Amino acid sequence: MTYNPFVIDGAGRAGRWVVLCDHASNIVPDFVNGGALGVSANDMARHIAYDPGTEGVSRALAEALDGPAVLSRFSRLVIDPNRDEDDPTLIMQLYDGTIIPGNRGISDLDTGERLRRCYRPYHSAAQQVLADRAGPVLVSVHSFTPQLKGRPPRPWQVGVLYSTDTRLSDPLMARLRAEPDLSVGDNQPYTGHLPGDTIARHAIAHGRPNVLIELRNDLIETEAQQRAWAQRLAPMLVETLAREGL
């Protein structure tokens, strides 16, 4: 079976919204060290390898928004699509205390193969999906761990990340903060500004409205939780876009 580094869910949907899920999968393709990076199964099931829960949220959110979802099918430990090609963290050799043996001393040749067979096809697919619709709006879905090793617990259930374009993120954050049961991170637990990342490449560079949503992964462990969050977020996104006239 031919390996495909991405999947497009709902390609025929006609809405403006496009959901991108950079870290949907923990797959290590066979051409990368025979399909293994020398990392334990337990670590490959952790956030260091992918964003747990985001595939289900992204598929359900895209369906609720009547738009497509573009999802990666390779682990971020293989290569991180939410980084610029020149970013030093593009291929991690150490992540949250775990050494990645399969990435140690990686050659330019192997880096080039991962770019060619994983990273660039995923971004080409996202680019094409966005270009195929008028006035697209980009939503990037990620998840975060409740606590990193040696760090304090993270209090937020959801984070709204943004860079230089806050037309959608600011009013969405205000809308989320109106929910009495939510603690909402403002560019937390990560900053939304990484030169050459997915938002910069597919939204900022084209003037497209955009937002990156981070969900705490213990809240999206089950299919029911994933669908519930998608159903909660979708009307907020639609209402915010309409209210802002974007």
Side-chain angles (χ1 to χ4, degrees), residues 141-234:
V141 177
H142 291 254
S143 70
F144 62 96
T145 185
Q147 185 174 10
L148 291 174
K149 289 182 179 178
R151 303 286 184 87
R154 290 162 161 171
W156 316 284
Q157 289 94 1
V158 57
V160 177
L161 275 57
Y162 52 87
S163 178
T164 56
D165 179 4
T166 61
R167 291 174 295 166
L168 183 56
S169 58
D170 277 359
L172 178 64
M173 184 157 40
R175 174 66 183 83
L176 285 163
R177 284 181 164 170
E179 299 286 297
D181 62 325
L182 293 183
S183 174
V184 183
D186 180 348
N187 254 351
Q188 295 284 358
Y190 311 106
T191 177
H193 182 63
L194 284 172
D197 67 5
T198 294
I199 292 290
R201 177 191 296 255
H202 295 296
I204 304 295
H206 303 275
R208 293 165 176 154
N210 65 90
V211 65
L212 191 156
I213 297 173
E214 289 267 4
L215 294 167
R216 209 174 69 207
N217 64 31
D218 62 323
L219 303 177
I220 52 172
E221 292 178 337
T222 69
E223 182 179 352
Q225 289 174 317
Q226 293 158 14
R227 294 199 69 85
W229 269 100
Q231 293 298 323
R232 186 174 190 178
L233 289 168

Side-chain angles (χ1 to χ4, degrees), residues 4-129:
N4 194 338
F6 64 86
V7 62
I8 301 174
D9 188 31
R13 297 182 189 130
R16 293 177 62 193
W17 297 91
V18 175
V19 177
L20 299 186
C21 190
D22 295 333
H23 303 142
S25 172
N26 61 357
I27 291 172
V28 180
D30 287 344
F31 66 83
V32 177
N33 298 310
L37 292 170
V39 177
S40 72
N42 284 341
D43 276 335
M44 287 303 298
R46 292 203 301 128
H47 74 281
I48 66 168
Y50 74 125
D51 281 355
T54 54
E55 178 179 358
V57 173
S58 296
R59 289 178 182 273
L61 183 61
E63 181 182 12
L65 293 171
D66 190 34
V70 184
L71 307 105
S72 71
R73 293 189 65 252
F74 53 92
S75 170
R76 69 159 133 240
L77 295 180
V78 171
I79 192 165
D80 193 334
N82 195 35
R83 298 291 187 272
D84 186 76
E85 290 193 14
D86 295 326
D87 194 302
T89 64
L90 179 69
I91 298 176
M92 295 288 282
Q93 299 188 39
L94 175 69
Y95 199 147
D96 193 23
T98 296
I99 295 171
I100 318 301
N103 292 344
R104 184 180 295 171
I106 187 169
S107 68
D108 290 344
L109 183 65
D110 287 341
T111 298
E113 183 174 35
R114 297 185 196 187
L115 283 166
R116 180 174 59 85
R117 299 182 69 172
C118 294
Y119 180 103
R120 289 173 183 158
Y122 168 73
H123 282 295
S124 293
Q127 178 180 334
Q128 190 61 57
V129 166

